[in-house]
Amino acid sequence: QLIIYFSVVTSSLSTFNLARNVIDRRCNTEHLALLKMADTNQQSPPPQLGPVQFLMSNKLETAMWLSRLFTVYCSVMFILPVLGPYAAANFYQRALLANALTSALRLHQRLPRFQLSRAFLAQALQEDSCHYLLYSLILVNSYPITMSIFPVFLFSLLHATTYTKKVLDSVGPSSLMFIRNLLDKLTSNQQNILKFIACNEIFLMPATVFMLFSGQGSLLLPFIYYRFLTLRYTSRRNPYCR
């Protein structure tokens, strides 16, 4: 009986050890699977933002993008006066005011800390955004001419192109290919557009003198615009005027 008892106890212990080993192996397998899942989740790229989330996450850039699009729209409505000459004059002022808003936002982005000092003023006058803020304020109340709206229109179009590509990327990598091809053509002709803008800025100087003698400009307009040209000569971003 003792032999039978010890044999039963021994078999029970062996069965218990075997079951414990099976359970330990299963726990180790499940633990490894959980670790692999955690590593996969950590290595997976973050989810792509939608267009609305992308625009809301970059509020300042979005505000400048919208103001540039509005500048482009008003410039086109002035160049193509389909609503009459009176409406075209209003679109002329709106385009310059929208460009002034864009330039002020861009200047705030470049120089966020305002200081009432000569050094800060000298640093601000080296920025292209400050140049075109002054440009818009100089010409906003002058007689509307097409030559003065072209730099505003083309600069807004070029700068809006870059952010529009980012918005299209948030929609999808292959969304609206027609617009993407058009934006690529604009980008490929960027140097030619900048050269045209520089020529336009230079030839606008004698145009202000002609406006003065024809009674369509003020006496101070040529002198103030000459100061704008001297600032453009020191531009660090667009050397074509120099």
Side-chain angles (χ1 to χ4, degrees):
Q1 291 179 355
L2 289 174
I3 294 172
I4 295 173
Y5 174 76
F6 282 115
S7 63
V8 170
V9 171
T10 304
S11 63
S12 299
L13 290 174
S14 61
T15 304
F16 175 75
N17 292 329
L18 180 62
R20 186 177 63 180
N21 292 332
V22 171
I23 293 173
D24 291 340
R25 290 177 182 177
R26 183 174 297 177
C27 291
N28 292 331
T29 304
E30 293 178 354
H31 182 66
L32 291 174
L34 291 175
L35 290 177
K36 289 182 179 179
M37 291 177 62
D39 293 338
T40 304
N41 291 331
Q42 291 178 358
Q43 294 176 0
S44 61
Q48 185 178 3
L49 295 176
V52 177
Q53 291 81 2
F54 175 77
L55 294 176
M56 294 302 296
S57 62
N58 303 281
K59 294 181 180 179
L60 185 59
E61 293 285 346
T62 302
M64 289 191 294
W65 178 61
L66 293 176
S67 62
R68 284 165 179 158
L69 291 180
F70 184 73
T71 303
V72 171
Y73 166 72
C74 293
S75 301
V76 172
M77 295 302 293
F78 169 72
I79 297 172
L80 304 174
V82 294
L83 299 180
Y86 180 76
N90 290 332
F91 281 117
Y92 173 83
Q93 290 186 338
R94 292 173 186 173
L96 290 176
L97 290 175
N99 182 72
L101 174 62
T102 307
S103 301
L105 292 174
R106 179 60 177 166
L107 186 62
H108 172 70
Q109 188 182 36
R110 296 280 297 174
L111 303 174
R113 295 183 180 180
F114 175 77
Q115 296 177 359
L116 192 61
S117 62
R118 185 175 181 179
F120 179 83
L121 180 61
Q123 187 179 3
L125 290 177
Q126 293 178 354
E127 297 291 335
D128 285 9
S129 54
C130 182
H131 299 168
Y132 267 87
L133 175 60
L134 297 175
Y135 179 88
S136 300
L137 297 178
I138 290 170
L139 298 174
V140 66
N141 290 321
S142 65
Y143 184 81
I145 57 175
T146 307
M147 187 182 293
S148 61
I149 208 68
F150 269 120
V152 171
F153 166 64
L154 293 176
F155 266 128
S156 298
L157 188 62
L158 285 178
H159 287 97
T161 298
T162 305
Y163 198 74
T164 303
K165 290 181 179 179
K166 295 180 180 180
V167 175
L168 292 178
D169 290 337
S170 66
V171 176
S174 60
S175 59
L176 301 176
M177 292 304 298
F178 173 75
I179 297 179
R180 288 178 182 271
N181 294 331
L182 182 61
L183 296 179
D184 291 336
K185 289 182 180 180
L186 286 174
T187 305
S188 62
N189 293 317
Q190 181 176 357
Q191 290 187 354
N192 295 328
I193 294 175
L194 291 176
K195 291 178 181 179
F196 177 79
I197 293 173
C199 292
N200 199 107
E201 292 172 352
I202 295 170
F203 290 125
L204 192 57
M205 180 65 212
T208 58
V209 178
F210 293 147
M211 290 170 61
L212 173 63
F213 287 108
S214 63
Q216 297 175 347
S218 64
L219 181 62
L220 296 177
L221 182 59
F223 299 98
I224 299 176
Y225 189 79
Y226 175 76
R227 178 56 182 165
F228 166 78
L229 277 185
T230 58
L231 293 175
R232 295 302 294 160
Y233 183 80
T234 60
S235 174
R236 295 178 296 180
R237 294 180 177 270
N238 187 11
Y240 297 106
C241 185
R242 187 182 307 113

